[in-house]
Amino acid sequence: MLSDCSSFCVDQSNQEQQKHGTAAFPAACYLDDLEQSSVSWHWHEELEVIVVAEGEALVVVGTRTYIVRAGDGLLISTGTLHSCQAEPGSGCRLHSLVFHPRLVGGSMESIFYQKYVLPVTENLAGDGIFFHMDMPWQAEALLAAEAAWQAGVQEPACYELRMRSCLSELLAAVCAHLPANRTAPNAKSLRKEKRIKQMLRFIQEHYAEELNTASIAAAASISESECLRCFHAVIKTTPIQYLREYRMERAARFLSEGSDHITEIAARCGFQDVSYFTKTFRRLKGCTPKEYRQTHPPAARPPHLLTEPLNADRKVLAKA
């Protein structure tokens, strides 16, 4: 069953407010076509497991960068900033399943939560774990993740039990291979990540306005120099470069899903100079806005994908 999803939004800490599934069954399956659009920086209280179906993805989790090829995947911990984009020309599509820990663990007092969920969320705090299809135990985790995703999309009889069972197998495999003596994130790293979340939220809410490093830094009540250090340490770019890339992602969405004039889209994305907008778009996307619209019409999208935004451009397939 295909289900709709509400517009992407964040709270004051840049936490994603999209509801993944329902209170009764907190899980949702997504198909991300990263050639159409990357998945911007965000975080949520749920765990997320991704399996790359085609091509190669560049996934950044906290301060770590992963190249994830077809067949491989990642488990991303709760509360962790992450983003995804396609390796150029790879035609990348990935399967993503976002689920709340209580789906598998039940209440925090249960033995399932204490023995199998808590060790994962504590050991992977601010990080993720990579799954390679050539490693036996990781291949088992990948198979479990993909089976859970397929059950959520196809909804066979008792699919809820099937998804929960597969996710339990996934966490059991991870628990058995958690790194020993993992160093917890220090206070400085946690402080930088908190500030980044505040500044990303500010950019995503005000990207159409005239912004600079000073205004972005003010959103987290820090100096410009500290703002630059935070961006470099956590997401490996500058605040202005992130702003520019975020504007281009929004512009690409407007171009492919509407008929507004390019001048109007440029202004909506914070560019009053259309020629500069076109030049920037070409540099980041490899084509002009007009060419992008011609090659990415709404009809070109697979008909089974929904188009309501999640973190700008994710497509929801299921539910629950």
Side-chain angles (χ1 to χ4, degrees):
M1 169 178 140
L2 298 181
S3 60
D4 206 347
C5 62
S6 59
S7 298
F8 171 75
C9 61
V10 293
D11 66 10
Q12 292 184 352
S13 66
N14 206 55
Q15 179 182 359
E16 183 184 46
Q17 296 298 287
Q18 166 69 27
K19 298 301 181 183
H20 302 288
T22 65
F25 194 77
C29 298
Y30 302 97
L31 174 62
D32 289 298
D33 184 345
L34 299 184
E35 288 297 315
Q36 289 281 347
S37 181
S38 60
V39 178
S40 304
W41 283 94
H42 68 291
W43 68 281
H44 38 68
E45 65 179 11
E46 294 87 357
L47 289 159
E48 179 170 1
V49 59
I50 65 172
V51 178
V52 174
E54 302 174 36
E56 296 183 9
L58 177 69
V59 185
V60 186
V61 182
T63 59
R64 298 187 64 183
T65 300
Y66 301 88
I67 302 295
V68 190
R69 298 178 172 85
D72 295 339
L74 276 170
L75 176 66
I76 302 170
S77 188
T78 60
T80 303
L81 275 169
H82 56 283
S83 67
C84 307
Q85 65 184 64
E87 282 290 279
S90 70
C92 185
R93 290 156 67 89
L94 59 85
H95 298 168
S96 171
L97 200 167
V98 183
F99 64 100
H100 198 282
R102 71 172 181 272
L103 178 65
V104 175
S107 71
M108 295 185 67
E109 294 77 25
S110 75
I111 190 171
F112 303 106
Y113 197 99
Q114 294 292 323
K115 190 173 182 179
Y116 301 106
V117 172
L118 200 57
V120 172
T121 56
E122 287 185 343
N123 277 272
L124 300 184
D127 204 349
I129 186 167
F130 180 80
F131 300 132
H132 195 292
M133 62 187 301
D134 291 338
M135 293 287 291
W137 79 265
Q138 294 175 8
E140 292 179 10
L142 287 164
L143 287 173
E146 182 65 13
W149 189 89
Q150 293 291 347
V153 171
Q154 299 172 14
E155 292 191 341
C158 304
Y159 73 91
E160 298 96 338
L161 288 174
R162 176 62 175 158
M163 288 181 69
R164 187 183 186 193
S165 174
C166 291
L167 292 174
S168 296
E169 292 175 17
L170 168 66
L171 292 189
V174 172
C175 283
H177 295 85
L178 286 173
N181 302 318
R182 177 180 170 81
T183 303
N186 58 44
K188 184 177 180 180
S189 296
L190 294 174
R191 184 167 59 250
K192 285 184 182 297
E193 183 166 320
K194 179 181 178 180
R195 289 169 173 173
I196 278 289
K197 290 175 179 177
Q198 292 173 319
M199 291 185 285
L200 293 185
R201 172 188 178 260
F202 177 78
I203 290 173
Q204 292 174 8
E205 288 186 344
H206 300 276
Y207 70 92
E209 303 170 18
E210 185 175 344
L211 301 181
N212 54 34
T213 303
S215 60
I216 295 170
S221 302
I222 58 177
S223 67
E224 291 183 52
S225 58
E226 180 61 19
C227 170
L228 291 167
R229 282 193 291 270
C230 283
F231 269 83
H232 177 72
V234 179
I235 62 176
K236 303 300 188 293
T237 190
T238 67
I240 299 304
Q241 181 63 21
Y242 174 82
L243 169 63
R244 188 178 297 117
E245 292 174 356
Y246 186 79
R247 283 171 167 171
M248 290 301 100
E249 290 299 330
R250 300 305 297 159
R253 180 177 177 82
F254 295 143
L255 286 165
S256 65
E257 294 193 349
S259 57
D260 291 344
H261 194 277
I262 291 175
T263 302
E264 296 174 359
I265 292 175
R268 195 189 307 176
C269 294
F271 292 87
Q272 301 306 316
D273 185 336
V274 179
S275 62
Y276 179 63
F277 168 72
T278 301
K279 179 180 179 181
T280 304
F281 193 94
R282 182 199 290 272
R283 180 164 58 82
L284 293 179
K285 293 292 186 180
C287 62
T288 67
K290 182 178 180 180
E291 292 168 342
Y292 187 90
R293 170 170 274 169
Q294 292 171 341
T295 56
H296 295 76
R301 294 200 176 97
H304 63 284
L305 297 185
L306 298 181
T307 56
E308 285 297 312
L310 169 65
N311 189 39
D313 295 281
R314 304 183 77 182
K315 281 70 182 175
V316 63
L317 294 181
K319 278 317 35 73

